[in-house]
Amino acid sequence: EAGVTQFPSHSVIEKGQTVTLRCDPISGHDNLYWYRRVMGKEIKFLLHFVKESKQDESGMPNNRFLAERTGGTYSTLKVQPAELEDSGVYFCASSQPGQALSGTQYFGPGTRLLVL
Amino acid sequence: AQSVTQLDSQVPVFEEAPVELRCNYSSSVSVYLFWYVQYPNQGLQLLLKYLSGSTLVESINGFEAEFNKSQTSFHLRKPSVHISDTAEYFCAVRMEYGNKLVFGAGTILRVKS
């Protein structure tokens, strides 16, 4: 069974540009999460999808960030326009249907974003 | 609000020595506890978890952690480390009825020969 995949693995962009990160969860996992680790600090929650619906987006830093999950499969996280402080590693995770409260979250390898 | 404190940012240790990575959390409600590991150039992998029952949980590669409710701790231990254990270890908590993980800052374990 394939794990959580993320694309690209690395992205280097200039301030003001737009970047779109993609996450493909484990097949059949309804729950999808985005997390971010900035500058070696804690990994912080951004948002949670259940299928195509945003269940919790309390961690989204500002309106420059837009997450979508059309069709309830893969998800994208767009940063527009990117700022220097957006640099970091963006992780995606997924868990099984009906197990948002108790299920193990399986993480992808992360996308390393550097904004210059 | 929940928070997780990993008291050591880096822990250097010689191969075959014991190691303890410390984790304390603050929460006024029941929590689930996790340790994740990130090997170099890889993603986060679940190492072990405490949901309920026995307070001592073990992983398949020799790590164990003990949930101590009175001390709000979930320290990770291994009696004899191997070079391949070199990685960054993250402690995380989730509220009993919550959906998001709250992570500590991570501890880098460096095993030397």
Side-chain angles (χ1 to χ4, degrees):
Chain A
E1 178 183 274
V4 177
T5 57
Q6 294 186 244
F7 182 83
S9 59
H10 295 79
S11 181
V12 181
I13 61 173
E14 294 189 350
K15 176 182 173 180
Q17 290 185 320
T18 297
V19 63
T20 300
L21 313 180
R22 172 171 171 146
C23 168
D24 286 77
I26 294 172
S27 178
H29 280 196
D30 287 351
N31 297 291
L32 188 149
Y33 311 81
W34 283 99
Y35 292 84
R36 177 175 75 166
R37 189 184 194 194
V38 174
M39 291 292 291
K41 295 186 177 179
E42 296 88 349
I43 300 169
K44 290 194 173 181
F45 170 83
L46 296 178
L47 86 160
H48 168 214
F49 283 100
V50 177
K51 297 185 179 179
E52 66 274 12
S53 300
K54 293 177 184 175
Q55 185 76 13
D56 180 356
E57 52 183 328
S58 61
M60 294 288 267
N62 52 61
N63 60 9
R64 295 185 295 103
F65 289 75
L66 175 63
E68 294 180 324
R69 193 182 182 196
T70 306
T73 54
Y74 71 91
S75 174
T76 58
L77 180 64
K78 180 189 289 187
V79 185
Q80 180 182 29
E83 298 289 344
L84 299 180
E85 63 265 25
D86 301 331
S87 297
V89 182
Y90 290 76
F91 292 101
C92 177
S94 70
S95 67
Q96 291 181 339
Q99 293 198 14
L101 300 183
S102 62
T104 296
Q105 294 182 21
Y106 297 90
F107 281 77
T111 293
R112 284 152 182 78
L113 174 64
L114 178 60
V115 182
L116 302 175
Chain B
Q2 293 172 296
S3 67
V4 178
T5 302
Q6 291 184 245
L7 297 167
D8 305 296
S9 59
Q10 294 197 41
V11 174
V13 63
F14 285 104
E15 195 173 16
E16 297 184 7
V19 70
E20 177 180 81
L21 306 184
R22 295 177 292 172
C23 172
N24 288 86
Y25 67 92
S26 65
S27 177
S28 58
V29 298
S30 295
V31 296
Y32 299 135
L33 296 154
F34 305 82
W35 276 98
Y36 281 84
V37 57
Q38 185 176 25
Y39 297 103
N41 302 313
Q42 295 186 28
L44 290 166
Q45 300 175 32
L46 180 67
L47 187 61
L48 46 77
K49 63 183 177 182
Y50 171 78
L51 302 181
S52 63
S54 173
T55 57
L56 183 66
V57 291
E58 299 177 351
S59 71
I60 59 173
N61 58 352
F63 282 94
E64 63 178 31
E66 186 162 17
F67 169 52
N68 188 319
K69 188 174 182 179
S70 63
Q71 297 186 3
T72 60
S73 68
F74 192 54
H75 301 330
L76 182 69
R77 303 183 182 93
K78 188 170 185 179
S80 177
V81 294
H82 191 266
I83 293 287
S84 60
D85 293 323
T86 294
E88 189 162 18
Y89 293 78
F90 296 91
C91 181
V93 303
R94 191 171 76 220
M95 289 194 299
E96 186 174 7
Y97 298 106
N99 58 358
K100 60 186 177 186
L101 292 168
V102 176
F103 284 88
T107 297
I108 297 174
L109 175 64
R110 298 188 191 280
V111 182
K112 302 175 289 184
S113 58

